[in-house]
Amino acid sequence: RQGGDYLVAEQRLELEATDEASRGASFFIKADFFHDGISDRSGMEIREAYIGYTTGALDLRLGRQIITWGTGDMLFINDTSPKDYGAFYSGRPLEYLKGPTDSLKLDITGALSTELVITPSFEPNRLPDGTLFYISDPFSGVNAKIVEEPSMRTGNAEVSLRLYRYFGSTDVSLYAHRGFSRMPAARPDSMTTPSAVTYFYPELSVYGLSATASVLGGVGNIEAGYYDSREDKDGSDPAIENSKVKFLAGYKRELGAELTAGVQYYIEAMENYGAYEKALALGMTKEKKQRNYATLRLTKMLMYQTMRLSLFTIYSPSDKDHLVNPEASYKLTDELGFTLGGNIFGGESSATPFASLGKNDNIYANMRYQF
């Protein structure tokens, strides 16, 4: 409704400031000042702003920061930090996919290294904006829409723990997370003729592991996780996702001169599927018991690595939908670069994630000057 054929027409100024003082103290700030010509909106976003302290095996960081865990390429199991899918689907640089949190992060390096993250305030995923994207909304006719985010109190603080070490050349990590789902659940006041719908974020715990190692001249990785739906243990509440088991395996290697290929296969399985089917109201879209995805990423460097051609594709054999993301970037100088790419969505059923975005195919271009 807002931009017609255009999603964004942005200008961004990103400023960074950092200092590593004596005795291990430091700080880092990254702020974006932006104006969007489509929405005619201007503002500022603090991407990162933290103070740090390092001494010996201890590394402490406090403030707004981006946490990256896990081994997946665009497939996230143990990386439970917030994501900005609206930014990614509209062609912003990949760095904007990862959202920041206001957290305390503690790293202790040793025979078994430990990373602890405590986040007092909840941050949800940022989803595509319905005023810019064509979005399927089962409650489009409902005017009263209430959003309830977890309140900021001690009992709602999110806690994440990672234990990791090398066994030879194999990097192994164990994960535990206690917090909330980043995706909203929807509960209408009536299943037949709703007049109001409440969006909320159910309690969620995640337990998992990952491993990365050199395999057959390339790099292989595996990752698994158990998603414990703490508010719907028996799977009888259709508004809340059931507990799930998730697994992915990936492999990446160089195929030729400056040509790299990476593949992944991902599968998730829902627990208590019978109870879920029984509780599902008539007319509601039924989720599959199992869902899987396969991805391919090709990257080719040309012209003394000043030009980069890439192709990322993700296809779901279970949902029969896909996303294709081709991109070309060129660095005219060390400071000035250009990017041209696109996002192509499709599938057989409009009820699946990528097929539901089928009207949002787009081409994007940007220029970046860094100094």
Side-chain angles (χ1 to χ4, degrees):
R1 296 193 304 273
Q2 194 173 75
D5 291 334
Y6 297 93
L7 289 170
V8 291
E10 273 192 340
Q11 305 86 47
R12 281 183 176 260
L13 172 65
E14 184 176 273
L15 300 179
E16 295 183 8
T18 185
D19 180 56
E20 295 185 7
S22 59
R23 299 184 180 180
S26 63
F27 74 83
F28 180 75
I29 299 174
K30 180 191 287 187
D32 274 22
F33 300 84
F34 63 88
H35 173 262
D36 179 24
I38 302 301
S39 63
D40 197 24
R41 186 172 68 93
S42 300
M44 182 191 73
E45 180 184 18
I46 303 295
R47 296 282 295 166
E48 296 180 77
Y50 58 81
I51 57 174
Y53 180 74
T54 302
T55 176
L58 176 67
D59 187 7
L60 180 67
R61 186 178 290 180
L62 175 64
R64 194 159 184 82
Q65 53 193 296
I66 293 174
I67 309 295
T68 299
W69 286 357
T71 64
D73 179 9
M74 302 297 295
L75 296 173
F76 307 106
I77 296 180
N78 293 296
D79 187 342
T80 56
S81 62
K83 313 295 185 299
D84 189 340
Y85 292 103
F88 174 71
Y89 292 156
S90 59
R92 289 195 185 100
L94 187 59
E95 67 190 76
Y96 288 96
L97 174 63
K98 298 301 295 290
T101 58
D102 299 313
S103 304
L104 167 67
K105 184 165 79 76
L106 177 67
D107 272 305
I108 303 175
T109 304
L112 181 63
S113 299
T114 302
E115 191 171 359
L116 175 67
V117 179
I118 301 174
T119 306
S121 58
F122 173 77
E123 291 279 353
N125 285 342
R126 302 178 187 180
L127 304 179
D129 184 349
T131 64
L132 295 173
F133 288 81
Y134 289 96
I135 303 294
S136 175
D137 182 2
F139 303 108
S140 58
V142 179
N143 293 323
K145 296 182 178 180
I146 305 161
V147 178
E148 296 180 350
E149 293 189 6
S151 59
M152 190 172 173
R153 57 186 180 87
T154 305
N156 285 343
E158 296 189 295
V159 180
S160 304
L161 177 68
R162 174 180 173 235
L163 304 175
Y164 61 100
R165 69 161 294 172
Y166 276 91
F167 294 90
S169 61
T170 302
D171 183 9
V172 178
S173 294
L174 299 175
Y175 308 87
H177 170 80
R178 182 180 176 86
F180 300 88
S181 172
R182 304 288 178 194
M183 295 294 290
R187 194 187 304 281
D189 59 350
S190 168
M191 299 306 298
T192 53
T193 56
S195 60
V197 60
T198 300
Y199 294 92
F200 64 102
Y201 297 87
E203 296 176 355
L204 177 69
S205 294
V206 180
Y207 310 98
L209 60 87
S210 69
T212 304
S214 299
V215 179
L216 301 175
V219 178
N221 64 284
I222 59 170
E223 189 169 350
Y226 177 68
Y227 276 53
D228 180 14
S229 182
R230 303 201 310 270
E231 290 189 50
D232 188 27
K233 291 285 190 180
D234 59 1
S236 61
D237 188 340
I240 300 176
E241 277 200 344
N242 286 23
S243 297
K244 292 183 177 181
V245 176
K246 303 185 179 186
F247 175 82
L248 73 81
Y251 181 68
K252 178 181 178 181
R253 68 166 296 170
E254 190 172 347
L255 297 182
E258 306 287 0
L259 175 62
T260 304
V263 295
Q264 295 177 120
Y265 190 78
Y266 167 98
I267 186 169
E268 65 178 41
M270 182 191 298
E271 286 191 345
N272 300 314
Y273 192 72
Y276 164 77
E277 286 185 304
K278 187 177 180 180
L280 205 63
L282 187 66
M284 291 185 67
T285 302
K286 183 168 69 173
E287 189 176 334
K288 290 182 171 63
K289 182 177 182 179
Q290 290 188 350
R291 175 174 284 165
N292 46 11
Y293 293 98
T295 74
L296 169 67
R297 184 181 291 277
L298 297 172
T299 305
K300 175 68 174 178
M301 304 299 294
L302 298 166
M303 301 171 63
Y304 302 101
Q305 296 192 338
T306 60
M307 176 170 282
R308 179 179 179 271
L309 304 178
S310 70
L311 174 69
F312 177 77
T313 62
I314 180 167
Y315 172 72
S316 171
S318 57
D319 292 337
K320 295 182 173 55
D321 66 350
H322 63 267
L323 164 65
V324 181
N325 172 222
E327 187 175 273
S329 60
Y330 176 64
K331 295 202 72 172
L332 184 63
T333 67
D334 288 342
E335 295 82 18
L336 181 62
F338 303 88
T339 300
L340 177 67
N343 290 296
I344 304 167
F345 307 91
E348 294 185 1
S349 169
S350 60
T352 60
F354 294 128
S356 68
L357 294 167
K359 292 183 179 181
N360 296 286
D361 294 350
N362 61 75
I363 296 172
Y364 58 86
N366 66 62
M367 178 182 71
R368 173 176 283 192
Y369 181 73
Q370 300 179 101
F371 58 93

